[in-house]
Amino acid sequence: MDKQPIVYILASGKCGTLYIGVTSDLSARLYHHRAGTMPGFTSRYGVHRLVWFEGHDTMAAAIAREKALKKWNRDWKLNLIEADNPEWLDLAIGLGFEPMQPERQS
C-alpha cells in the first residue's frame, strides 16, 4: 500500500479492546504493532488486529477524523467496524500480513 494518511482501528478480538490511530504508512505501522515493537497501549493489551481503516487526502483530515472517532461512544465504534467488517476479520491479512495467533477474547 502506498503512503497515504490513514485512520485505523485495531482490536484485541471480536468486540474486544479497541485502539484508534492515524499514520501515513499503514503497512509499517501494522508491522510495529504486530511485532510488539511499539511500547504502550497496543502491546500491553494485545490489540493487534486491523478491523477497520479509512484513507484521507491529507494528514490534517485524517487527524481530525481520528480525534472525532476517539470521542465516539463504544457502540458507535462497534457499529462502524461491523458495517464493513461484520465478522471482525483481520484486514491486515489482505495487506500481506500473516494471520495472528488466536488470542483470548476480551
Side-chain angles (χ1 to χ4, degrees):
M1 177 175 277
D2 291 335
K3 290 190 178 186
Q4 175 189 1
I6 301 279
V7 180
Y8 63 95
I9 300 177
L10 302 178
S12 60
K14 186 171 184 174
C15 297
T17 303
L18 302 177
Y19 172 83
I20 299 173
V22 66
T23 184
S24 63
D25 188 342
L26 183 59
S27 292
R29 183 64 56 90
L30 286 172
Y31 171 80
H32 291 292
H33 281 302
R34 291 165 85 90
T37 60
M38 293 185 71
F41 184 86
T42 59
S43 60
R44 186 168 43 250
Y45 294 102
V47 183
H48 304 298
R49 296 172 189 275
L50 179 66
V51 293
W52 180 88
F53 65 97
E54 175 180 88
H56 291 270
D57 291 332
T58 66
M59 186 53 79
I63 291 169
R65 176 69 162 161
E66 176 202 29
K67 287 180 179 181
L69 290 175
K70 286 183 173 186
K71 292 179 182 177
W72 282 19
N73 71 47
R74 182 171 173 81
D75 285 341
W76 296 353
K77 294 172 191 174
L78 298 179
N79 289 335
L80 177 68
I81 293 163
E82 291 182 352
D84 290 329
N85 189 1
E87 299 299 318
W88 289 70
L89 301 174
D90 185 1
L91 303 176
I93 294 168
L95 301 175
F97 287 84
E98 293 292 321
M100 298 289 297
Q101 295 298 315
E103 294 178 19
R104 195 182 75 204
Q105 294 288 323
S106 298

